[in-house]
Amino acid sequence: MDAWRDFWSVYRQALPVLLVALVGGLFSGLVLERLLGSVERFPGLLVMVPVFLATRGNVYGALGGRVASGLHQGLLEPRFRRDERLVNAVTASLVNGVGISVVIGVITWLALLALGWERAALLELVGIMFVAGVLTSVVMVVGLLAVLFAGFRRGLDPDNLAGPVVTTLGDIFGMVFLLLSVWLVGVLAP
Amino acid sequence: MSDRALGTWDWRRIVGNMFPLLLVLSVLVLWAGITLSGARDLLEEYAILAVMVPTMVGTGGNLGAILSSRLSTRFHLGTISLDPRDPVLLANVSAILALAVSIFAALAVGAYLLGFVVGSDLTLAQLLTVSLVSGMAVALLAVAFAVATTYASYRLGVDPDDTTVPVVTNVVDVLGMVIFVAVAAVVV
């Protein structure tokens, strides 16, 4: 029966992808658990975590979708070179990714102020987001493009690769660099 | 290459189109952060719950995104209708719910095993209850939300990949966090 076949094809295609995302999610959960120890030093840190992670998905999901379409349409070649379209797409995602990270620091601080909750200095929250945003962006761009290009050359559909790669890399590197950035700002801030 | 030839690949145009949406979504997801921050005592007492947070928050959104992109293709092809008895719609929705059961059960087992590393007193039964109850509630909301918004964007003629998918993902992320914290507080 058609509907039954449809059911199995959705289930079989999506399950491996979701299981990979689950492994990435559990790893980033372990890092989040470590991060709880720093909340004392930077009150409000936890508020930023879901927003920061969601933003990685939004920005690099869009880059992945764009590059996948470009590869399909023959507008992009599957290799790292100074192609004007590729440079523009990457520039946009870096501006979006780092820009929105800084904004997250600001709106988190404002929300904490409005709620009357204990909060770290505005510059500390923004600094943490900026460093984590820059580091994550670089790794996401290089990692995402490398996987999409390699996959495309081997005949895999980049549309199917982009989503899970973004989710998994974003969860893992987003949290690791957030932890690193918290440590760095903790060392540098007086 | 001139700016005109770059068209939709011009970085200023991409940023101009996308940044306002990113801003709105960030304000929305801030609610999830505030919920997480409010649950800090619970997370410090039961560290294993913190380990579950990223997956709890991400999976509902992923399921909603998969359903949205499948439905939008089929609305355009005219091979599906919103009739609840439509067999293709039912097959897609059942597949999403079956995926949810599988992933949230696997999350509980994974968290239980990691519990030996981080030190956790919660039983597998407790973790399964938290994960499946909150996970299935989120999955049902993700399905309802994905069907409604995908149909709306199809009727309004908006490209679902650019708007519906990020909106569904982020709204369901927030609901996932709120429901997870509420269920966890009751069960443990």
Side-chain angles (χ1 to χ4, degrees):
Chain A
M1 194 178 148
D2 263 6
W4 186 242
R5 221 176 32 227
D6 227 28
F7 172 91
W8 273 114
S9 95
V10 182
Y11 188 86
R12 269 207 317 268
Q13 280 173 36
L15 191 65
V17 167
L18 289 169
L19 285 174
V20 171
L22 172 66
V23 173
L26 283 172
F27 177 82
S28 92
L30 286 173
V31 183
L32 174 62
E33 197 260 322
R34 291 289 310 269
L35 200 67
L36 286 175
S38 305
V39 175
E40 209 77 55
R41 169 71 183 83
F42 298 111
L45 183 61
L46 275 187
V47 177
M48 303 196 294
V49 171
V51 200
F52 182 69
L53 290 184
T55 304
R56 300 311 97 191
N58 295 339
V59 173
Y60 298 101
L63 175 66
R66 178 173 292 278
V67 170
S69 306
L71 289 170
H72 274 307
Q73 294 167 15
L75 292 172
L76 287 182
E77 280 185 57
R79 51 183 55 88
F80 288 94
R81 50 189 280 273
R82 282 195 63 85
D83 172 90
E84 198 142 5
R85 287 198 184 88
L86 187 60
V87 170
N88 269 272
V90 167
T91 307
S93 70
L94 292 177
V95 171
N96 275 331
V98 176
I100 198 69
S101 299
V102 170
V103 172
I104 291 169
V106 176
I107 59 174
T108 298
W109 190 84
L110 289 173
L112 292 165
L113 183 71
L115 287 166
W117 286 9
E118 199 191 345
R119 61 198 170 273
L122 174 62
L123 264 183
E124 289 173 340
L125 294 185
V126 170
I128 289 170
M129 280 291 104
F130 178 75
V131 175
V134 170
L135 293 175
T136 312
S137 293
V138 172
V139 171
M140 289 296 288
V141 167
V142 175
L144 177 62
L145 292 182
V147 175
L148 290 186
F149 289 168
F152 187 72
R153 286 200 300 263
R154 281 171 182 72
L156 296 173
D157 183 349
D159 271 326
N160 293 336
L161 282 175
V165 171
V166 168
T167 312
T168 313
L169 285 185
D171 271 0
I172 293 176
F173 288 102
M175 284 305 297
V176 167
F177 286 135
L178 192 55
L179 189 67
L180 184 69
S181 167
V182 164
W183 171 81
L184 192 71
V185 172
V187 171
L188 294 178
Chain B
M1 208 183 288
S2 72
D3 279 357
R4 184 181 298 259
L6 271 171
T8 55
W9 290 82
D10 180 30
W11 72 269
R12 279 157 299 214
R13 191 160 156 190
I14 303 174
V15 172
N17 281 338
M18 216 182 147
F19 207 80
L21 180 65
L22 287 174
L23 194 61
V24 172
L25 292 174
S26 295
V27 172
L28 182 85
V29 182
L30 206 60
W31 182 21
I34 291 167
T35 308
L36 180 66
S37 208
R40 194 183 137 201
D41 292 344
L42 182 72
L43 297 179
E44 278 179 348
E45 192 175 349
Y46 303 103
I48 200 65
L49 294 178
V51 177
M52 294 167 82
V53 162
T55 312
M56 277 307 310
V57 171
T59 305
N62 282 343
L63 293 171
I66 294 172
L67 187 59
S68 286
S69 65
R70 291 187 60 84
L71 291 181
S72 72
T73 311
R74 281 156 188 77
F75 279 133
H76 283 290
L77 293 173
T79 55
I80 199 169
S81 72
L82 264 196
D83 186 336
R85 286 161 304 177
D86 184 299
V88 184
L89 182 65
L90 280 179
N92 277 279
V93 169
S94 329
I96 293 294
L97 295 179
L99 284 166
V101 174
S102 315
I103 292 298
F104 288 112
L107 170 63
V109 173
Y112 180 71
L113 295 175
L114 287 176
F116 294 111
V117 182
V118 297
S120 160
D121 304 327
L122 297 179
T123 62
L124 181 58
Q126 280 175 311
L127 291 173
L128 276 170
T129 309
V130 173
S131 185
L132 284 172
V133 170
S134 50
M136 292 319 288
V138 175
L140 287 171
L141 285 167
V143 165
F145 207 71
V147 171
T149 53
T150 309
Y151 185 69
S153 72
Y154 161 70
R155 291 305 296 263
L156 295 171
V158 184
D159 181 354
D161 288 331
D162 283 350
T163 48
T164 320
V165 170
V167 172
V168 169
T169 311
N170 286 261
V171 168
V172 175
D173 280 359
V174 173
L175 296 174
M177 180 69 87
V178 173
I179 293 173
F180 174 66
V181 166
V183 171
V186 172
V187 173
V188 301

